[in-house]
Amino acid sequence: NFGDFLLTRNGYNRLTLTIGIDRKPERNEAVFNNKKILQNDTIALRVSIEDIQTGLTDLKELIIEANEYFDKIELVIDLQFISQDEDINQLFSIIDPFLKRNIFNFSKIIITGSSIPKLIGDIIVTDSTKDIPRRELELFSILASNYANLYYGDYRASAF
């Protein structure tokens, strides 16, 4: 189980772990209950667009609990895969009001996602090249003009 993993991670004193409303409650609790082992005052909270749209009550409860254990909460807005057809303005209209409310006082806000699907063969054939507009970077650029503590994370680039 995840709690056992935390107990056996010798030498990794500054591991920042992620909690989320889409995680099993037992996993989030393992992070909270093993705070002494983590030796870290920062926790990352991962949310999806769906979480922002429909899970604000659960999100608030999780943040209140996280604040009991950790001094800083970094918000990770995980856009996951953004297709070329995705309406960036629609995504902005969901994220921007959430960030403007600023009711949770996150120490850092990270926007992550990718315009490249899990299976790159879905958008390009073998032995060919193709320019792929980075839709997540486009959204980040729009948001970054309004928020000083906004960071960009590109997890899909490390998947190859």
Side-chain angles (χ1 to χ4, degrees), residues 13-120:
N13 294 335
R14 298 294 294 174
L15 183 65
T16 299
L17 294 172
T18 305
I19 58 173
I21 61 175
D22 65 334
R23 309 271 197 227
K24 289 184 178 180
E26 298 83 19
R27 186 193 184 284
N28 290 335
E29 287 302 318
V31 172
F32 297 145
N33 292 334
N34 288 285
K35 164 70 164 87
K36 290 179 188 173
I37 296 166
L38 296 174
Q39 298 178 5
N40 196 340
D41 291 329
T42 303
I43 190 78
L45 170 63
R46 180 196 164 274
V47 298
S48 66
I49 292 295
E50 293 79 21
D51 295 337
I52 293 171
Q53 289 176 300
T54 62
L56 288 180
T57 300
D58 293 334
L59 187 59
K60 184 177 180 180
E61 290 173 8
L62 189 57
I63 290 168
I64 289 169
E65 187 171 9
N67 276 322
E68 294 175 18
Y69 297 91
F70 295 92
D71 296 331
K72 296 179 184 175
I73 300 175
E74 296 178 353
L75 177 68
V76 179
I77 300 175
D78 188 350
L79 303 170
Q80 300 174 350
F81 172 65
I82 301 177
S83 73
Q84 296 302 309
D85 302 344
E86 193 92 34
D87 184 351
I88 297 300
N89 292 321
Q90 174 66 25
L91 291 172
F92 177 82
S93 72
I94 296 166
I95 296 169
D96 186 54
F98 174 74
L99 296 179
K100 276 187 179 164
R101 280 183 257 154
N102 195 24
I103 56 176
F104 300 120
N105 197 26
F106 298 110
S107 61
K108 186 185 288 186
I109 301 167
I110 302 164
I111 303 290
T112 188
S114 183
S115 297
I116 301 169
K118 288 180 184 177
L119 299 174
I120 198 161

